[in-house]
Amino acid sequence: MKIRKAVIPAAGLGTRVLPASKSMPKEMLPIVDKPAIQYIVEEAVKSGIEDILIITSRGKTTVEDHFDRAPELEERLLKAGKQDVYEEMVAISKLANIQYVRQKETKGLGHAVYCAKAFVGNEPFAVLYGDDVIIGENPVCKQLIDVYDQHGLGVVGMKEVPANMISKYGSLKIDPVKDNLYKVTDMVEKPAPGKEFSNFSILGRCVLPSKIFSILENTTPGAGGEIQLTDAMLQLCKTEGMMGVDFIGTRYDMGNKLGILQAIVEVGLQHKEVGADFREYLKNIAASL
Ligand code: UTP
């Protein structure tokens, strides 16, 4: 079945990037001039997604406003002759058919995805974590969808993380299939030292069959007292099997402070308007370090 729907969980409290995320969703943190979540919506659209559900929570209405029309602003831009900026603003509201649902309690990523049950229905769907921006030529969500289309199994996006970081992520047990494609045979969320399978972790993207909802219904809180998507995916992997793609693209974790800085520097260097000036500025700074 063709994948048309995507879910973007963006309801987390963002405690690792406080105080920035105290009254502003971390998913709205800008990378140069665009909020993180816009990069993610654009990736979904480039991957062929038509319908998007963003999981929000209290204090996240700016996400909805961002993808809505802004009549007063648009009128002002037109009057000022800024046709190109006007068109760019209108285009944001037309990117995709975006809906929203609130996760009333932040009980974890698994619980957030479960909030998408009615939206998804019986179709396979993509999940793009709302604070993971991935930049690359070929959208990563599309790389995963292509694997789903070929194998008909759930797919996780994965990358190797430094050995001393794996306890903060989910660790995957994998068998190589070919090139950057793997069969996933086991997984564990936030493994205690020595309990990791490999340094490959699920990062930011997955494609899931709707069966995940009946599994999530019975998933009890795991690591950190949260309902973990990884725990539900483990069951899927044991019963139906799952695939893993060592995706091609650079991931920026907007949920941690260093990730935000890396995103701004690297995307800033490529930016059409300010990239060249920024490069000069950075060179001067670097020379003085
Ligand atoms: P994270 O675990 O990185 O988000 O979840 P968090 O809970 O906000 O992080 P910290 O530890 O407090 O800093 C990955 C994605 O899942 C969403 C987050 O918004 C983020 O985009 N999420 C997480 C939810 O939607 N609901 C949750 O209950 C938890």
Side-chain angles (χ1 to χ4, degrees), residues 10 17 42 64 67 73 78 100 102 120 139 150 160 218 220 224 250 269 276 282:
V17 289
E42 285 170 351
E64 295 177 43
F67 293 105
L73 173 70
L78 279 180
Y100 303 87
R102 283 208 188 199
V120 169
Q150 269 190 1
E160 219 165 354
N218 299 305
T220 49
T250 309
L269 282 169
L282 270 190

Tab-separated table of all heavy atoms in Angstrom, residues 10 17 42 64 67 73 78 100 102 120 139 150 160 218 220 224 250 269 276 282:
chain	number	residue	atom	x	y	z
A	10	ALA	N	5.565	16.135	18.180
A	10	ALA	CA	6.208	17.394	18.568
A	10	ALA	C	5.624	17.878	19.893
A	10	ALA	O	5.427	19.071	20.094
A	10	ALA	CB	6.011	18.436	17.466
A	17	VAL	N	16.799	21.463	26.330
A	17	VAL	CA	17.144	22.753	25.723
A	17	VAL	C	16.478	23.930	26.435
A	17	VAL	O	16.254	24.993	25.851
A	17	VAL	CB	16.855	22.784	24.194
A	17	VAL	CG1	17.841	21.911	23.459
A	17	VAL	CG2	15.447	22.361	23.865
A	42	GLU	N	8.878	19.770	5.011
A	42	GLU	CA	9.343	19.809	3.620
A	42	GLU	C	9.930	18.460	3.200
A	42	GLU	O	9.718	18.010	2.076
A	42	GLU	CB	10.384	20.930	3.441
A	42	GLU	CG	9.745	22.309	3.420
A	42	GLU	CD	10.736	23.476	3.475
A	42	GLU	OE1	11.942	23.237	3.699
A	42	GLU	OE2	10.294	24.611	3.321
A	64	GLU	N	1.027	25.545	14.852
A	64	GLU	CA	-0.159	25.644	13.985
A	64	GLU	C	-0.168	26.984	13.249
A	64	GLU	O	-0.465	27.038	12.052
A	64	GLU	CB	-1.430	25.484	14.823
A	64	GLU	CG	-1.517	24.099	15.420
A	64	GLU	CD	-2.722	23.902	16.323
A	64	GLU	OE1	-3.819	24.354	15.953
A	64	GLU	OE2	-2.551	23.283	17.386
A	67	PHE	N	2.064	27.149	10.055
A	67	PHE	CA	1.620	26.504	8.809
A	67	PHE	C	0.256	27.029	8.349
A	67	PHE	O	-0.372	26.450	7.471
A	67	PHE	CB	1.604	24.977	8.984
A	67	PHE	CG	2.988	24.405	9.159
A	67	PHE	CD1	3.443	23.984	10.401
A	67	PHE	CD2	3.866	24.336	8.071
A	67	PHE	CE1	4.741	23.482	10.557
A	67	PHE	CE2	5.160	23.841	8.226
A	67	PHE	CZ	5.594	23.412	9.472
A	73	LEU	N	-0.041	39.978	7.847
A	73	LEU	CA	1.358	39.991	7.398
A	73	LEU	C	1.431	39.964	5.865
A	73	LEU	O	2.169	40.738	5.236
A	73	LEU	CB	2.075	38.771	7.980
A	73	LEU	CG	3.497	38.506	7.497
A	73	LEU	CD1	4.458	39.561	8.028
A	73	LEU	CD2	3.955	37.115	7.953
A	78	LEU	N	2.588	42.585	0.631
A	78	LEU	CA	2.155	42.978	-0.720
A	78	LEU	C	2.235	44.482	-0.897
A	78	LEU	O	2.742	44.977	-1.903
A	78	LEU	CB	0.728	42.488	-0.967
A	78	LEU	CG	0.578	41.023	-1.371
A	78	LEU	CD1	-0.887	40.683	-1.592
A	78	LEU	CD2	1.389	40.712	-2.638
A	100	TYR	N	-3.739	18.480	13.307
A	100	TYR	CA	-3.084	18.486	14.613
A	100	TYR	C	-3.911	17.701	15.618
A	100	TYR	O	-5.134	17.688	15.540
A	100	TYR	CB	-2.943	19.932	15.120
A	100	TYR	CG	-2.184	20.799	14.155
A	100	TYR	CD1	-2.851	21.458	13.108
A	100	TYR	CD2	-0.805	20.934	14.246
A	100	TYR	CE1	-2.155	22.227	12.190
A	100	TYR	CE2	-0.095	21.702	13.336
A	100	TYR	CZ	-0.778	22.353	12.301
A	100	TYR	OH	-0.082	23.114	11.400
A	102	ARG	N	-3.694	16.856	20.041
A	102	ARG	CA	-2.910	17.112	21.246
A	102	ARG	C	-2.662	15.843	22.038
A	102	ARG	O	-3.583	15.061	22.266
A	102	ARG	CB	-3.652	18.094	22.136
A	102	ARG	CG	-3.551	19.496	21.655
A	102	ARG	CD	-3.682	20.400	22.850
A	102	ARG	NE	-3.772	21.784	22.439
A	102	ARG	CZ	-3.532	22.789	23.262
A	102	ARG	NH1	-3.230	22.567	24.516
A	102	ARG	NH2	-3.623	24.025	22.847
A	120	VAL	N	-4.366	7.685	11.132
A	120	VAL	CA	-3.662	6.731	10.270
A	120	VAL	C	-4.594	5.662	9.706
A	120	VAL	O	-4.500	5.281	8.536
A	120	VAL	CB	-2.485	6.070	11.047
A	120	VAL	CG1	-1.930	4.888	10.269
A	120	VAL	CG2	-1.380	7.081	11.318
A	139	PRO	N	15.628	12.824	0.217
A	139	PRO	CA	15.012	12.899	1.547
A	139	PRO	C	15.019	11.540	2.261
A	139	PRO	O	14.704	10.509	1.651
A	139	PRO	CB	13.592	13.378	1.259
A	139	PRO	CG	13.437	13.414	-0.210
A	139	PRO	CD	14.766	13.287	-0.849
A	150	GLN	N	9.636	-2.048	-1.181
A	150	GLN	CA	10.279	-3.272	-1.672
A	150	GLN	C	10.057	-4.474	-0.786
A	150	GLN	O	9.897	-5.590	-1.257
A	150	GLN	CB	11.791	-3.038	-1.767
A	150	GLN	CG	12.208	-2.537	-3.118
A	150	GLN	CD	13.732	-2.562	-3.239
A	150	GLN	OE1	14.438	-2.967	-2.325
A	150	GLN	NE2	14.215	-2.121	-4.377
A	160	GLU	N	25.255	5.039	13.057
A	160	GLU	CA	26.148	4.665	14.139
A	160	GLU	C	26.385	5.903	15.008
A	160	GLU	O	26.599	6.991	14.479
A	160	GLU	CB	27.471	4.166	13.539
A	160	GLU	CG	28.018	3.008	14.295
A	160	GLU	CD	29.121	2.256	13.557
A	160	GLU	OE1	29.407	2.574	12.385
A	160	GLU	OE2	29.679	1.343	14.168
A	218	ASN	N	-0.892	-2.061	24.318
A	218	ASN	CA	-0.484	-2.922	25.438
A	218	ASN	C	0.958	-2.706	25.866
A	218	ASN	O	1.519	-3.516	26.581
A	218	ASN	CB	-0.670	-4.390	25.033
A	218	ASN	CG	-2.120	-4.677	24.713
A	218	ASN	OD1	-2.995	-4.429	25.535
A	218	ASN	ND2	-2.393	-5.144	23.497
A	220	THR	N	3.683	-1.138	28.060
A	220	THR	CA	3.753	-0.496	29.381
A	220	THR	C	4.958	0.443	29.422
A	220	THR	O	5.881	0.302	28.615
A	220	THR	CB	3.878	-1.574	30.486
A	220	THR	OG1	4.913	-2.477	30.098
A	220	THR	CG2	2.584	-2.337	30.665
A	224	GLY	N	12.909	5.357	31.517
A	224	GLY	CA	12.521	6.703	31.923
A	224	GLY	C	11.058	6.826	32.309
A	224	GLY	O	10.528	7.933	32.406
A	250	THR	N	22.602	14.182	6.740
A	250	THR	CA	23.195	14.652	7.994
A	250	THR	C	22.078	15.013	8.957
A	250	THR	O	21.192	15.803	8.631
A	250	THR	CB	24.087	15.889	7.747
A	250	THR	OG1	24.983	15.572	6.681
A	250	THR	CG2	24.887	16.246	8.979
A	269	LEU	N	26.257	27.966	6.532
A	269	LEU	CA	27.333	28.005	5.534
A	269	LEU	C	26.799	27.798	4.116
A	269	LEU	O	27.386	28.273	3.145
A	269	LEU	CB	28.392	26.939	5.846
A	269	LEU	CG	29.370	27.291	6.972
A	269	LEU	CD1	30.180	26.075	7.382
A	269	LEU	CD2	30.290	28.436	6.545
A	276	ALA	N	27.987	33.192	2.238
A	276	ALA	CA	29.330	33.676	1.919
A	276	ALA	C	29.870	34.560	3.045
A	276	ALA	O	31.015	34.394	3.497
A	276	ALA	CB	29.311	34.429	0.598
A	282	LEU	N	33.235	33.091	10.039
A	282	LEU	CA	33.686	31.888	10.755
A	282	LEU	C	35.195	31.700	10.630
A	282	LEU	O	35.860	31.312	11.573
A	282	LEU	CB	32.993	30.643	10.193
A	282	LEU	CG	31.670	30.218	10.808
A	282	LEU	CD1	31.293	28.838	10.288
A	282	LEU	CD2	31.731	30.181	12.329
